Amino acid sequence: MIGRESIRIDEVSMTYGSSKILDSVSLSIGKGSVVTMVGPNGCGKTTLLKIINNLLKPDKGRVLVEGMEVNSMPSHRLARIMGYVPQGHRISFPFKVRDVVITGRMPYISAFSSPKREDLERTEQALSLVGISGLADQPYTQISGGERQLVMIARAMVQQPSVLLLDEPTSYLDFKNQISTLKMIKEISRNRGVTVVMTLHDPNHALMFSDEIVLLRKLNGSREENVIAFGSPNETMTPQNIQAAYGMEVEILDVRGRKLLLPV
Ligand SMILES: Nc1ncnc2c1ncn2[C@@H]1O[C@H](COP(=O)(O)OP(=O)(O)OP(=O)(O)O)[C@@H](O)[C@H]1O
Ligand SMILES: [Mg+2]
């Protein structure tokens, strides 16, 4: 059930050095919805996800999650609300997959104590949820890039977040695993009322799996705004909007009642 507001992004601006990346971006994201950010490389998707997660402080504006400003929340409290799977993550120490996943329980484990039965059970459940129970005893450094991606999703899920932020969750995944992971993300959202904000590069995946899409453009010094469109997938992914975002032409095909984007 998509309900009241989960995340409010209020006039957020961000500049790196002299490059303005985000200019007064405002978005309201409903509880339990799956929202996908789509846009060209460097348009600021990761930056915005990090600002939502309070890993970056915007120059201007604020982010509220469940009514609370993220930069005023203690980090362990924020970690109970938000799970974050970053783009391209690296752990170089050969921890077992199970031990990587259990670190997601840190916000629930008090200092100097060890994981309790509940933490261990939730870890096994999360491994099973993403379909990697068979990898539990493997060293993290000896699994594939796609499998690592799934480990990080499991790690985020043991946090029992009400908001899940996923930066390119399908990169490194094979054709089938891309679809099964996106299905799983949607099911998590539907079954547990988790709000999902993710970034995807494939516009057809965004069309298939999102309740709403935010289509962004890269600022180029003109007076244009970052957000080209925000709304239902069909309203957002029009040839005109894709042209505005990427400067490329696409055609929309209707296939068995589904829209598909085809470059021309
Ligand atoms: N720490 C930083 N210092 C300076 N510039 C940065 C920093 N992080 C990002 N940038 C720049 O800000 C812009 C936006 O970066 P960001 O990572 O948010 O883009 P993105 O939309 O996630 O791109 P991609 O699709 O390639 O992941 C890019 O031009 C990038 O080079
Ligand atoms: Mg990025």
Side-chain angles (χ1 to χ4, degrees):
M1 260 284 281
I2 299 166
R4 59 199 158 73
E5 187 174 71
S6 168
I7 303 173
R8 171 183 289 263
I9 298 164
D10 225 358
E11 298 188 357
V12 162
S13 296
M14 186 71 187
T15 303
Y16 291 118
S18 59
S19 318
K20 185 162 234 181
I21 306 300
L22 300 174
D23 188 12
S24 201
V25 173
S26 294
L27 298 168
S28 170
I29 293 172
K31 201 166 171 47
S33 60
V34 176
V35 175
T36 307
M37 295 200 260
V38 180
N41 291 131
C43 71
K45 301 176 298 295
T46 297
T47 301
L48 194 53
L49 280 184
K50 285 184 178 169
I51 291 171
I52 296 172
N53 201 21
N54 202 36
L55 291 171
L56 273 179
K57 189 176 156 18
D59 302 330
K60 283 195 201 137
R62 58 185 195 149
V63 174
L64 293 121
V65 174
E66 323 255 293
M68 290 166 286
E69 225 177 294
V70 290
N71 70 2
S72 65
M73 287 162 78
S75 57
H76 70 276
R77 179 132 181 244
L78 194 62
R80 287 184 181 199
I81 296 178
M82 269 200 264
Y84 175 50
V85 178
Q87 179 179 11
H89 29 76
R90 260 168 262 133
I91 299 175
S92 47
F93 193 80
F95 292 113
K96 281 185 183 172
V97 162
R98 177 183 287 110
D99 297 334
V100 172
V101 173
I102 207 166
T103 60
R105 292 296 296 168
M106 290 306 275
Y108 295 92
I109 301 172
S110 51
F112 311 115
S113 68
S114 38
K116 303 248 177 326
R117 189 193 172 115
E118 186 193 351
D119 303 311
L120 301 171
E121 280 173 4
R122 288 200 182 276
T123 299
E124 297 309 317
Q125 285 163 8
L127 286 165
S128 154
L129 179 73
V130 305
I132 53 166
S133 299
L135 296 177
D137 293 313
Q138 290 279 333
Y140 182 83
T141 44
Q142 291 173 29
I143 58 175
S144 77
E147 289 164 347
R148 266 181 236 162
Q149 196 104 19
L150 296 172
V151 172
M152 296 314 280
I153 296 174
R155 182 178 180 272
M157 284 313 296
V158 292
Q159 285 173 247
Q160 297 173 268
S162 49
V163 173
L164 196 50
L165 307 176
L166 303 157
D167 204 350
E168 296 187 27
T170 54
S171 56
Y172 309 110
L173 297 182
D174 70 35
F175 183 53
K176 178 176 166 224
N177 265 342
Q178 289 181 15
I179 300 298
S180 59
T181 300
L182 290 169
K183 275 189 183 156
M184 174 189 79
I185 290 166
K186 189 134 189 191
E187 272 166 29
I188 287 171
S189 172
R190 289 290 179 270
N191 297 342
R192 303 171 189 220
V194 173
T195 308
V196 174
V197 183
M198 63 180 165
T199 71
L200 293 177
H201 276 303
D202 187 326
N204 287 315
H205 287 169
L207 271 168
M208 282 164 72
F209 293 100
S210 318
D211 294 312
E212 291 187 296
I213 294 176
V214 188
L215 185 63
L216 297 160
R217 65 152 70 83
K218 202 169 167 161
L219 296 181
N220 61 6
S222 67
R223 291 158 66 97
E224 292 167 335
E225 294 178 7
N226 292 96
V227 178
I228 295 167
F230 175 37
S232 73
N234 288 346
E235 284 166 1
T236 315
M237 302 301 260
T238 63
Q240 294 84 347
N241 288 343
I242 297 291
Q243 175 71 36
Y246 297 96
M248 73 181 282
E249 255 184 76
V250 295
E251 213 176 286
I252 307 274
L253 304 181
D254 245 307
V255 183
R256 298 193 199 153
R258 272 208 339 233
K259 292 206 184 310
L260 273 182
L261 257 155
L262 190 73
V264 290

